Amino acid sequence: MTLAFIGDGVFDLFVREQLVCQANCPVGVLHSTAVKSVCCQAQAEGLKKLLPILTEEELSVYKRGRNAHTARTPKNASSAEYHAATGLEALFGYLYLKGEIGRLRELFDHMRER
């Protein structure tokens, strides 16, 4: 859960950076767009694109984060989506703390491709 805590911030920063670089919008529009991108459902959906390209080590970190016991019950997401998002955030936190920013950007970009 500690890795997910830091990974949540890293993922949020990547989303905000991407939004600011894409267009000059009012802050309210940027915020509402960012919220849609960092929600459990969006993260769980993006994770599906990443699973085939994760290394064994990355997959292991994701699964540990996904399987972590949490006290929270998601309001607007299924339990599966919440746990998948937590696993993704744990992976992002892990890679960030290892200093693998290039790999983080690669995964984020792959996830955000349409």
Side-chain angles (χ1 to χ4, degrees), residues 5-40:
F5 175 76
I6 189 84
D8 178 55
V10 172
F11 189 82
D12 187 60
L13 179 62
F14 276 34
V15 167
R16 289 171 182 245
E17 178 184 271
Q18 184 183 54
L19 291 174
V20 168
C21 290
Q22 284 177 345
N24 185 12
C25 298
V27 173
V29 173
L30 291 171
H31 176 71
S32 63
T33 306
V35 167
K36 292 174 188 172
S37 297
V38 299
C39 71
C40 293

Coordinates of all heavy atoms in Angstrom, one line a residue, residues 5-40:
F5 N 0.6 4.4 -2.6 CA 0.5 5.7 -2.1 C 1.4 6.7 -2.9 O 1.0 7.7 -3.4 CB 0.9 5.8 -0.6 CG 0.9 7.2 -0.1 CD1 -0.3 7.9 0.2 CD2 2.1 7.9 0.2 CE1 -0.2 9.2 0.7 CE2 2.2 9.1 0.7 CZ 1.0 9.8 0.9
I6 N 2.7 6.3 -3.1 CA 3.6 7.1 -3.9 C 3.2 7.0 -5.4 O 3.3 8.0 -6.1 CB 5.1 6.8 -3.6 CG1 6.0 7.8 -4.3 CG2 5.4 5.4 -4.2 CD1 6.2 9.0 -3.5
G7 N 2.8 5.8 -5.8 CA 2.5 5.7 -7.2 C 1.3 6.5 -7.7 O 1.2 6.9 -8.8
D8 N 0.3 6.7 -6.7 CA -0.8 7.5 -7.0 C -0.4 8.9 -7.4 O -0.9 9.5 -8.3 CB -1.8 7.5 -5.8 CG -3.0 8.4 -6.0 OD1 -3.7 8.2 -7.0 OD2 -3.2 9.3 -5.1
G9 N 0.5 9.4 -6.6 CA 1.0 10.8 -6.9 C 1.8 10.9 -8.2 O 1.7 11.8 -9.0
V10 N 2.6 9.8 -8.5 CA 3.3 9.8 -9.7 C 2.4 9.7 -10.9 O 2.5 10.5 -11.9 CB 4.3 8.6 -9.7 CG1 5.0 8.4 -11.1 CG2 5.4 8.7 -8.7
F11 N 1.4 8.9 -10.9 CA 0.5 8.7 -12.0 C -0.3 10.0 -12.2 O -0.5 10.5 -13.3 CB -0.5 7.6 -11.7 CG -1.4 7.2 -12.9 CD1 -0.9 6.4 -13.9 CD2 -2.7 7.7 -13.0 CE1 -1.7 6.1 -15.0 CE2 -3.5 7.4 -14.1 CZ -3.0 6.6 -15.1
D12 N -0.7 10.6 -11.1 CA -1.5 11.9 -11.2 C -0.6 13.0 -11.8 O -1.1 13.7 -12.7 CB -1.9 12.3 -9.8 CG -2.8 13.6 -9.8 OD1 -3.9 13.5 -10.4 OD2 -2.4 14.6 -9.2
L13 N 0.7 13.0 -11.5 CA 1.6 14.0 -12.1 C 1.7 13.8 -13.6 O 1.7 14.7 -14.3 CB 2.9 14.0 -11.4 CG 4.0 14.9 -11.9 CD1 3.6 16.4 -11.7 CD2 5.3 14.7 -11.2
F14 N 1.9 12.5 -14.0 CA 2.0 12.2 -15.4 C 0.8 12.6 -16.2 O 0.9 13.2 -17.3 CB 2.3 10.7 -15.6 CG 3.7 10.3 -15.4 CD1 4.6 10.9 -14.5 CD2 4.2 9.3 -16.2 CE1 5.9 10.5 -14.4 CE2 5.5 8.8 -16.1 CZ 6.4 9.5 -15.2
V15 N -0.4 12.4 -15.6 CA -1.7 12.8 -16.2 C -1.7 14.3 -16.4 O -2.0 14.8 -17.4 CB -2.9 12.3 -15.5 CG1 -4.2 12.9 -15.9 CG2 -3.0 10.7 -15.6
R16 N -1.4 15.0 -15.3 CA -1.5 16.5 -15.3 C -0.5 17.0 -16.3 O -0.8 18.0 -17.1 CB -1.2 17.0 -13.9 CG -2.3 16.8 -13.0 CD -1.9 17.2 -11.6 NE -3.0 16.9 -10.6 CZ -3.6 17.9 -10.0 NH1 -3.3 19.1 -10.1 NH2 -4.6 17.6 -9.1
E17 N 0.7 16.5 -16.4 CA 1.8 16.9 -17.3 C 1.3 16.7 -18.7 O 1.4 17.6 -19.6 CB 3.0 16.1 -17.1 CG 4.2 16.5 -18.0 CD 5.4 15.6 -17.8 OE1 6.2 15.9 -17.0 OE2 5.4 14.5 -18.5
Q18 N 0.7 15.6 -19.0 CA 0.2 15.3 -20.4 C -0.9 16.3 -20.8 O -0.9 16.8 -21.9 CB -0.3 13.9 -20.5 CG -0.7 13.5 -21.9 CD -1.3 12.1 -21.9 OE1 -2.2 11.7 -21.2 NE2 -0.7 11.3 -22.8
L19 N -1.8 16.5 -19.8 CA -2.9 17.4 -20.1 C -2.5 18.9 -20.4 O -2.9 19.5 -21.3 CB -3.9 17.5 -19.0 CG -4.7 16.2 -18.8 CD1 -5.6 16.3 -17.5 CD2 -5.6 15.9 -20.0
V20 N -1.5 19.3 -19.6 CA -1.0 20.7 -19.8 C -0.3 20.8 -21.1 O -0.4 21.8 -21.8 CB -0.1 21.1 -18.6 CG1 0.7 22.3 -18.9 CG2 -0.9 21.3 -17.4
C21 N 0.5 19.8 -21.5 CA 1.2 19.8 -22.8 C 0.3 19.7 -24.0 O 0.7 20.1 -25.1 CB 2.2 18.7 -22.8 SG 3.6 19.0 -21.6
Q22 N -0.9 19.1 -23.8 CA -1.8 18.9 -25.0 C -2.5 20.2 -25.4 O -2.8 20.4 -26.5 CB -2.8 17.8 -24.7 CG -2.2 16.5 -24.7 CD -3.3 15.4 -24.4 OE1 -4.3 15.7 -23.8 NE2 -3.0 14.2 -24.7
A23 N -2.9 21.0 -24.4 CA -3.8 22.1 -24.7 C -3.7 23.2 -23.6 O -3.5 22.9 -22.5 CB -5.2 21.7 -25.0
N24 N -4.0 24.4 -24.0 CA -4.1 25.5 -23.1 C -5.6 25.6 -22.8 O -6.4 26.1 -23.5 CB -3.6 26.8 -23.8 CG -3.6 27.9 -22.8 OD1 -3.7 27.8 -21.6 ND2 -3.4 29.1 -23.3
C25 N -5.9 25.1 -21.6 CA -7.3 25.1 -21.1 C -7.4 25.8 -19.8 O -6.5 25.8 -19.0 CB -7.8 23.6 -21.0 SG -7.8 22.7 -22.5
P26 N -8.7 26.2 -19.4 CA -8.9 26.7 -18.1 C -8.6 25.6 -17.0 O -8.8 24.4 -17.3 CB -10.3 27.1 -18.0 CG -10.7 27.2 -19.5 CD -9.8 26.3 -20.2
V27 N -8.1 26.0 -15.9 CA -7.8 25.0 -14.8 C -8.9 24.1 -14.5 O -8.7 22.9 -14.2 CB -7.3 25.8 -13.6 CG1 -7.0 24.8 -12.4 CG2 -6.0 26.5 -13.9
G28 N -10.1 24.6 -14.5 CA -11.3 23.8 -14.1 C -11.5 22.6 -15.1 O -11.8 21.5 -14.7
V29 N -11.2 22.9 -16.4 CA -11.3 21.9 -17.4 C -10.2 20.9 -17.2 O -10.4 19.7 -17.3 CB -11.3 22.5 -18.8 CG1 -11.2 21.4 -19.9 CG2 -12.5 23.4 -19.1
L30 N -9.0 21.4 -17.0 CA -7.9 20.5 -16.7 C -8.2 19.5 -15.6 O -7.9 18.3 -15.6 CB -6.6 21.3 -16.5 CG -6.0 22.0 -17.6 CD1 -4.9 23.0 -17.2 CD2 -5.5 21.1 -18.7
H31 N -8.7 20.1 -14.5 CA -9.0 19.3 -13.3 C -10.0 18.2 -13.6 O -9.8 17.1 -13.2 CB -9.4 20.2 -12.1 CG -9.8 19.5 -10.9 ND1 -8.9 18.8 -10.1 CD2 -11.1 19.2 -10.4 CE1 -9.6 18.2 -9.1 NE2 -10.9 18.4 -9.3
S32 N -11.1 18.6 -14.2 CA -12.2 17.6 -14.4 C -11.7 16.5 -15.4 O -12.0 15.3 -15.2 CB -13.4 18.3 -15.0 OG -13.2 18.9 -16.2
T33 N -10.8 16.9 -16.3 CA -10.3 15.9 -17.2 C -9.3 15.0 -16.5 O -9.3 13.7 -16.7 CB -9.6 16.5 -18.4 OG1 -10.5 17.4 -19.1 CG2 -9.1 15.5 -19.4
A34 N -8.5 15.5 -15.6 CA -7.5 14.8 -14.8 C -8.3 13.8 -13.9 O -7.9 12.6 -13.8 CB -6.7 15.7 -14.0
V35 N -9.4 14.2 -13.3 CA -10.1 13.3 -12.4 C -10.6 12.1 -13.2 O -10.6 11.0 -12.7 CB -11.3 14.1 -11.7 CG1 -12.3 13.2 -11.1 CG2 -10.7 15.1 -10.8
K36 N -11.1 12.3 -14.4 CA -11.6 11.2 -15.2 C -10.5 10.2 -15.5 O -10.7 9.0 -15.7 CB -12.2 11.7 -16.5 CG -13.5 12.4 -16.2 CD -14.0 13.0 -17.5 CE -15.2 13.9 -17.3 NZ -15.6 14.7 -18.5
S37 N -9.2 10.7 -15.7 CA -8.1 9.9 -16.1 C -7.5 9.1 -14.9 O -6.8 8.1 -15.2 CB -7.0 10.8 -16.7 OG -7.5 11.4 -17.9
V38 N -7.6 9.6 -13.7 CA -7.0 8.9 -12.6 C -8.0 8.1 -11.7 O -7.6 7.5 -10.8 CB -6.3 9.9 -11.6 CG1 -5.2 10.7 -12.4 CG2 -7.2 10.9 -11.0
C39 N -9.2 8.0 -12.2 CA -10.2 7.2 -11.4 C -9.9 5.7 -11.6 O -9.1 5.3 -12.5 CB -11.6 7.5 -11.9 SG -12.0 6.9 -13.5
C40 N -10.4 4.9 -10.7 CA -10.2 3.5 -10.7 C -10.5 2.8 -12.1 O -9.7 2.0 -12.6 CB -11.0 2.8 -9.6 SG -10.5 3.1 -8.0

